[in-house]
Amino acid sequence: MDVIQALKTATSRVAERYFWLSVAGQGAPVKRERVYCYELYHQLRCLLPAGGALTLSAEPDKRGHPDFQGRQPNPDLIFHEPGTHRSNQAVIEVECRPDRRHLRKDFETFRLLKDKGYREFVLLLFGVLGVPWQRLAQVAEEVGLPLEEVAVLLHQAPGQEATRESGGTVPNPCEAPGYKGQKTPLTKNSSRQRQYRSLG
């Protein structure tokens, strides 16, 4: 199956209430990675053919897995055939906080699962305006995974389809545009920026 196209279609169907989560007692909504991931999982499942050879699994915890000694990854989404390493196809990591610490965790997950036969690696950034290519390159080098092996998708806002990005188009990440379609990037001292903080 075409994992990239499936993700593009699924992201276009993620409704605003799952992209931005309203919080009781708080005026502005926030990003929550897990809420977004669960809706993305649902939309992907709706797209998959019944009886397909591969299974889509969400957050398969590798703790206690006999084939993972030392660090045991917990990927956001994987396409695989459970019970064997023969048909490990794709690993998807979803990120709305593309700082160095979170990106390193994502790339370490990719590298560990590459050793188990996974062939496709997708980093899906949502709720940000651009891709931090320089940071990605540094993290990829530190982890020992060539950046060109990772497909980067950018989902900027609900109602849009994620786009596949190529290296160097946007050098630095920004916070997402303000809720309800604000186009101006948020400034460091903006009270709105504090309202739109990312919560994983």
Side-chain angles (χ1 to χ4, degrees), residues 50-160:
L54 296 178
T55 296
L56 173 64
S57 296
E59 294 193 317
D61 195 336
K62 300 299 183 181
R63 285 179 296 181
H65 194 296
D67 291 338
F68 288 89
Q69 302 298 322
R71 188 175 184 277
Q72 297 159 328
N74 188 23
D76 290 326
L77 299 166
I78 58 174
F79 284 96
H80 66 140
E81 181 183 344
T84 177
H85 291 308
R86 292 192 302 270
S87 299
N88 290 339
Q89 181 172 345
V91 183
I92 298 100
E93 286 290 282
V94 177
E95 192 62 72
C96 64
R97 299 164 296 178
D99 57 36
R100 189 180 189 86
R101 180 172 68 89
H102 288 99
L103 291 175
R104 185 179 178 96
K105 172 184 170 295
D106 296 332
F107 273 71
E108 286 177 345
T109 297
F110 289 147
R111 182 180 56 78
L112 288 168
L113 291 177
K114 179 182 178 181
D115 293 341
K116 302 305 177 185
Y118 282 88
R119 302 183 297 277
E120 295 183 59
F121 308 97
V122 182
L123 177 66
L124 172 56
L125 303 175
F126 83 94
V128 297
L129 286 179
V131 179
W133 288 111
Q134 184 175 3
R135 191 176 304 152
L136 287 179
Q138 292 171 347
V139 168
E141 183 177 3
E142 292 170 1
V143 169
L145 179 70
L147 181 55
E148 57 268 22
E149 293 187 13
V150 179
V152 179
L153 297 183
L154 181 62
H155 190 197
Q156 293 182 321
Q160 299 178 359

Side-chain angles (χ1 to χ4, degrees), residues 5-14 39-40 43-44 47:
Q5 186 54 54
L7 282 167
K8 287 182 176 182
T9 302
T11 54
S12 72
R13 299 179 181 181
V14 174
E39 177 61 11
L40 180 66
Q43 295 298 340
L44 284 168
L47 292 169

Side-chain angles (χ1 to χ4, degrees), residues 9 32 38 65 70 77 110 132 136 157 163 174 182 192-193 195:
T9 302
R32 284 195 184 271
Y38 287 178
H65 194 296
L77 299 166
F110 289 147
L136 287 179
T163 56
C174 299
Q182 178 179 322
R192 185 181 293 270
Q193 183 185 40
Q195 290 175 328

